Amino acid sequence: MPSSDQFNQDPGAFPEATNGEPFPWHELRLPNTVIPLHYDLFVHPNLTSLDFVASEKIEVLVRDATQFIVLHSRDHEIMNATLHSEEDLRYRKPGRQLDVLSYPAHEQIALLVPEKLMADLKYYVAIDFQGKLADGFVGFYKSTYRTLGGEIRTIAVTDFEPTEARMAFPCFDEPSFKANFSIKIRRESRHIALSNMPKVKTIELEGGLLEDHFETTVKMSTYLVAYIVCDFKSVSGTTSSGVKVSIYASPDKWSQTHYALEASLKLLDFYESYFDIYYPLPKLDLVAIPDFEAGAMENWGLITYRETSLLFDPKTSSAFDKLWVTRVIAHELAHQWFGNLVTMEWWNDIWLNEGFAKYMELVSVNATYPELQFDDYFLEVCFEVIKRDSLNSSHPISNQAKTPTEIQEMFDTISYNKGCLEGDFTSGGVCYSDSKRTHSILTFQGEDVEVKEMMATWTLQKGIPLVVVEREGRTLKLRQERFLSGVFKEDPGWRALQERYLWHIPLTYTTSSSNVIHRHILKSKTDILDLPEDTSWVKFNVNSNGYYIVHYEGQGWDQLIQQLNQNHTLLRPKDRTSLIHDAFQLVSAGRLTLDKALDLTRYLQHETSSVALLKGLGYLELFYHTMDRRNISDVTENLKHYLLRYFKPVIDTQSWSDEGSVWDSMLRSTLLKLACDLNHAPCVQKATDLFSQWMESSGKLNIPTDVLKIVYSVGAQTTPGWNYLLEQYELSMSGAEKNKILYALSTSKHQEKLMKLIELGMEGKIIKTQDLASLLHAIARNPKGQKLAWDFVRENWTHILKKFGLGSFDVRIIISGTTSHFSSKDELQEVKLFFDSLKAQGLHLDIFQTVLETISKNIKWLEKNLPTLRTWLLART
């Protein structure tokens, strides 16, 4: 690392500060010569002029003598900076003025001291600064909401992860620089202030202003600091260990906070017992923020949420909405221990934070809300990441990240979903388990397994293994490969993409002969297993617990299909689901023919597991929408008739109600939505009648929440219905309802209506900017909107970037959401040219390569499988 001596000897080797002087540091990471111990932070936001004044005193420890202190700062005007030694404070000497140099390219400032700071001494840096409340969703930003009476009100809120604390106050903005924070907030009497810790006191100032002082925090990273100035109302309760939990929302949404309180109290009690460590703060606030980019943020003691991730309205929130709210609360509460109490040293290991919190969603929700049957839904977590990890553009879960954009890009499905699948070493790269293991050596079927060696094969290399099984009598021949979607074995590049990939895969398998689950660790490219008895089929990856795909060579697939047709219940529900998943994944890799995978779904008319039924239906629905978007009308029509005829019995048994389990609800919503999408007359008629009644009641009629989205979508197909829905959207106080209405509006066949929605999303008043990404994604999935959405993104790229920032979650959703369903060479070329033009401007994201690979995969799929699909359907019409 460059030292202050190097800087003095050769200042020309260093970058140039904004004033033209040499800046004494050229690394992106801060030096560790000075470390923060304590921040005294004062903030006074003005919610009328939308700016803030602030000051801070940072107590630092100097580890090595230096003539400068480098810390992070972005978009601040620094008015004054002084330095005190402990001696200065003791004898009340005035502080020494510091020169401040700024290097915006690295978001750093350097404080130059008149004489060297001595090693092992403490100093106090005082900085006065001011700034504007940010326009976006990060740093210290403004958020607005509309009251029932139509008034627009403003609040100020923070969101710092990963690298935006520096936008709110100059700080050592890296996770390893943990410190204590004492925060004071000045506000008007009509507002309240919240921060990580409880309020100690409020001081009345001249002019009616109030100043809240908060308890000093525990030692923590800057990205977890939080403060809010708002006029929200709360509901509170206390956990069994005495922690006060409060849920805050804008006053008109207070009635939607009660479920979140019940869930938070239950989950916090569960975690304290499960981790055997008390939650370390005296209180926990959960706040519904009107403008919020992600789902939630785990600030210690002051968790912030998008409204739809925290609020539950029994009239408009569905069973799936309830599962979502419960999951997000469970996820953020897990972070209070894993992430907040124990923190990764640097962002390359964010998967430890996010993967663990995702894993704990499963453990905690299963324990506290078993009726939500989250265990079954967790399979989707596995399947979702496989889609990304089976592309060559994937990355290892532990990955290098240096710049703020690279760090932001680490927050993806690999870190969250694959990270959580590493939760229990005994079953694979693994979908789940509730074991608590502490040893570095595990015993697996009598073998000692070195955890570190095994885990390295899952954390340090990207991708997912394919286990190929060939059965000859009682002998199983196994081999492992790297599974690649869209790359066929006969392709020239296939072999090179396989090189140096090897996993230690804990396999599980079962046979037709018994219910015994056999286990074996595959550590080599090939292996041979002997079965104890004759069997008519073998099924690997029992209950889909393992993170691998299985291909059965020879007669393997035929034997499993035969069993499904004869008596599918001999295979476990999750095994049936994973067979459907793996079969269609193998089609995309050219390892299984499409007709074989489609044959496997023929048993579904007898399927009683909603999970398996939804999986099979999902693929068939995907093919229908692909054909419809490409205007391949003969296949679209035949597939429509096949779906309606084949699934008619199960469609006809669905009630337009909210009865039954979460899975009954999900199946009902999916089937009735599909039936209406396919213009199934009884379905469209029922939805039309309900929509008419709802309009006649001036929106007062309570429609069952499971079918709300379907009713709105059918209603949106007429101009009066569409206009009425847009009016109701503006008036609704339920985020869950607004989501359903917005989706319905996006299904219109009229391009001018779709364009109006996009314009409203860009304007950000009626449709909030936070919803623009999901809106564009929905419009792009509409055959009448796909070109519209894509053209809009290209033509308005600069505006989009200004709203969200390059590496943001929203920009990634907008890019993939408007392009990744493309399936023609012309579209691929258009997207490639657009990405090339961005790269020429120095703008690059990993998502570019992912999208190009996905489109290439779609093109290849159609070329290979369209004739097969056409023939298969003709034989069944």
Side-chain angles (χ1 to χ4, degrees), residues 157-175:
V157 58
T158 59
D159 192 74
F160 292 161
E161 190 181 31
T163 59
E164 280 80 32
R166 64 193 69 172
M167 290 175 68
F169 57 98
C171 57
F172 297 80
D173 199 11
E174 293 178 6

Side-chain angles (χ1 to χ4, degrees), residues 267 270-276 326-339 351-368 374 378 381 416 419-421 423 431-436:
L267 285 158
F270 169 79
Y271 281 137
E272 286 195 326
S273 161
Y274 186 87
F275 295 133
D276 203 16
T326 315
R327 283 178 60 188
V328 181
I329 293 173
H331 184 100
E332 304 310 323
L333 262 57
H335 274 312
Q336 304 302 297
W337 284 264
F338 217 92
W351 71 274
L352 287 166
N353 261 21
E354 297 302 347
F356 190 80
K358 191 90 172 174
Y359 173 65
M360 288 311 299
E361 286 177 32
L362 174 78
V363 175
S364 63
V365 174
N366 270 357
T368 53
F374 185 38
F378 208 71
V381 171
Y416 280 73
C420 83
L421 305 183
C431 282
Y432 67 88
S433 158
D434 52 9
S435 59
K436 291 187 190 179

Side-chain angles (χ1 to χ4, degrees), residues 7 11-12 14-24 100-104:
F7 174 62
F14 288 78
E16 198 175 282
T18 47
N19 66 354
E21 289 181 30
F23 189 82
V100 182
L101 297 180
S102 178
Y103 186 48

